[in-house]
Amino acid sequence: MNKNKKYQRLWLLPLIVSLVLFLIGINVNEPQRVLEQSWNICLSCIGIG
Amino acid sequence: METIRKLIQTLAALLTNGYWLFPATRNIYQGPMKIICSPGLNCYSCPASTTYCPIGAIQQLLLGVRFTLESGAFYVGSYVFGSIGLIGALTGRLTCGWLCPFGLIQELLHKIPSVKFPTIPGWLRYPKYGMLLFFVILFPLFLTNEWDMGDPWFCKYVCPAGTLEAGIPMLLLQPDLRATLGLIFYNKLFWMFVFLGWSVTTSRPFCRTTCPLGAFYGLFNRISLIQLRLDEEKCTDCGICAQVCPMGIQFNKSVGSPECIGCLRCLNEACTFGAISVKCGGLDLQALNRAGLRKAQQIQAASQIDQQGGN
């Protein structure tokens, strides 16, 4: 039971780490880069060319 | 519950592929929604796609990371890893069972009547981790050409979702592209047919063996906010949960397994003892669990009547 309780809040750790990464990404303007990439058809990505 | 799950899967597939003007424009969606991460594997070069694929985006960012760092930008994938990390921390691999369009395609193909092979060799569970580590991260980062550019290895050489959702539709929409077809495309076509054909006989073969996004989400299964739990005192080790599991796992022997996609079939169709429950942050989702128990009891009772009738 104690082991279960320990696991119950462990999700907070990856959540906080991921949130920090997410915010760092926004801070360095990575979403804009992702957006530009996803607007183009990447031919090699889909096995063409 | 299975009907609700199918509806949610369909809705998610429609929302992540909601650009239906592509037959007129003959191009992919280029709007602002592509800043949103697709929770499941969904190629962003698919003409209907309205979100970006995290696996494709990570490779694209890493293969050009030298250029972007030299130019002073710090595009190392933190936004994308952060996005899928948030999804993983909240749901674990439940996203695969409820929101992935390619998972839905495999499930629909598995409904085609045929000889079924529910199990796959245990060692075939591991290639997906290799795909994540090597094909998505290390190879695009370190195997570079003379211009210091890497390749999107997973998308270019493996991804069957990309071939099905983007490669083939783009060839139909833009016939000029057909002149550029070569070995790479035929290799991808081969893998697409392998996984689609395999899906008819075996449940979700791509998810079980190869999907790097599933491998990533699976890492969170033991600690995510929403989890399936087992009451060991109620479990009789009857093994019926293993018979209904689309991922071929016996839940009571592998609680928190990275293979579990949280489809809840063990809860809703198998366990009549109330040993399996869904918890959110440790709190029992009682209404869901009670409904699941009732449904499982009905299904198992009907199954027993069928068996007795057969005898």
Side-chain angles (χ1 to χ4, degrees), chain B residues 39-292:
Chain B
L41 198 73
N42 192 65
C43 185
Y44 62 46
S45 290
C46 168
S49 176
T50 45
T51 53
Y52 77 83
C53 171
I55 293 297
I58 287 168
Q59 291 169 86
Q60 284 295 331
L61 290 167
L62 293 182
L63 69 84
V65 76
R66 288 167 191 79
F67 282 115
T68 51
L69 288 176
E70 278 172 14
S71 66
F74 196 67
Y75 304 143
V76 294
S78 55
Y79 172 70
V80 185
F81 276 114
S83 299
I84 54 175
L86 285 170
I87 296 169
L90 294 174
T91 69
R93 222 180 153 181
L94 195 127
T95 298
C96 303
W98 291 73
L99 300 176
C100 180
F102 199 63
L104 174 64
I105 290 169
Q106 290 173 85
E107 285 186 9
L108 294 176
L109 286 170
H110 194 59
K111 288 186 183 297
I112 296 173
S114 76
V115 179
K116 302 295 178 191
F117 301 102
T119 55
I120 57 167
W123 62 270
L124 275 177
R125 278 186 249 155
Y126 300 107
K128 59 180 172 287
Y129 299 103
M131 286 290 162
L132 176 63
L133 184 62
F134 294 105
F135 276 52
V136 175
I137 298 173
L138 295 181
F139 288 173
L141 197 54
F142 293 114
L143 298 184
T144 55
N145 59 21
E146 61 267 40
W147 299 288
D148 256 358
M149 289 288 283
D151 269 329
W153 278 68
F154 181 73
C155 296
K156 189 171 179 178
Y157 299 112
V158 183
C159 187
T163 314
L164 182 70
E165 297 169 5
I168 293 171
M170 289 316 297
L171 286 175
L172 294 173
L173 288 172
Q174 298 185 9
D176 295 349
L177 291 174
R178 290 175 201 166
T180 63
L181 291 187
L183 270 179
I184 292 173
F185 182 75
Y186 295 119
N187 165 68
K188 284 207 35 162
L189 210 55
F190 168 76
W191 286 115
M192 186 194 80
F193 281 120
V194 165
F195 284 112
L196 295 184
W198 196 3
S199 299
V200 177
T201 61
T202 304
S203 171
R204 285 184 173 247
F206 178 73
C207 311
R208 289 159 83 173
T209 63
T210 313
C211 182
L213 190 57
F216 181 84
Y217 288 146
L219 301 175
F220 296 87
N221 263 7
R222 273 186 196 281
I223 54 171
S224 58
L225 174 69
I226 302 172
Q227 286 188 21
L228 277 174
R229 290 280 175 81
L230 177 77
D231 186 336
E232 288 176 6
E233 289 174 2
K234 290 180 181 172
C235 178
T236 61
D237 199 18
C238 63
I240 299 177
C241 52
Q243 291 171 19
V244 300
C245 179
M247 300 298 278
I249 54 174
Q250 184 163 349
F251 181 74
N252 66 323
K253 290 188 175 157
S254 50
V255 180
S257 162
E259 297 302 305
C260 176
I261 55 167
C263 66
L264 308 185
R265 286 184 66 181
C266 53
L267 170 72
N268 289 298
E269 294 176 26
C271 187
T272 55
F273 306 100
I276 303 171
S277 59
V278 187
K279 297 203 173 181
C280 181
L283 295 173
D284 219 340
L285 300 180
Q286 289 185 2
L288 191 69
N289 295 329
R290 274 200 298 269

Side-chain angles (χ1 to χ4, degrees), chain A residues 11 18 30 38-39 45 47-48, chain B residues 30-31 34 60 77 79 155 223:
Chain A
W11 61 275
S18 303
E30 196 176 283
S38 62
W39 281 346
C45 301
I48 301 171
Chain B
Q30 292 173 320
K34 271 202 165 164
Q60 284 295 331
Y79 172 70
C155 296
I223 54 171

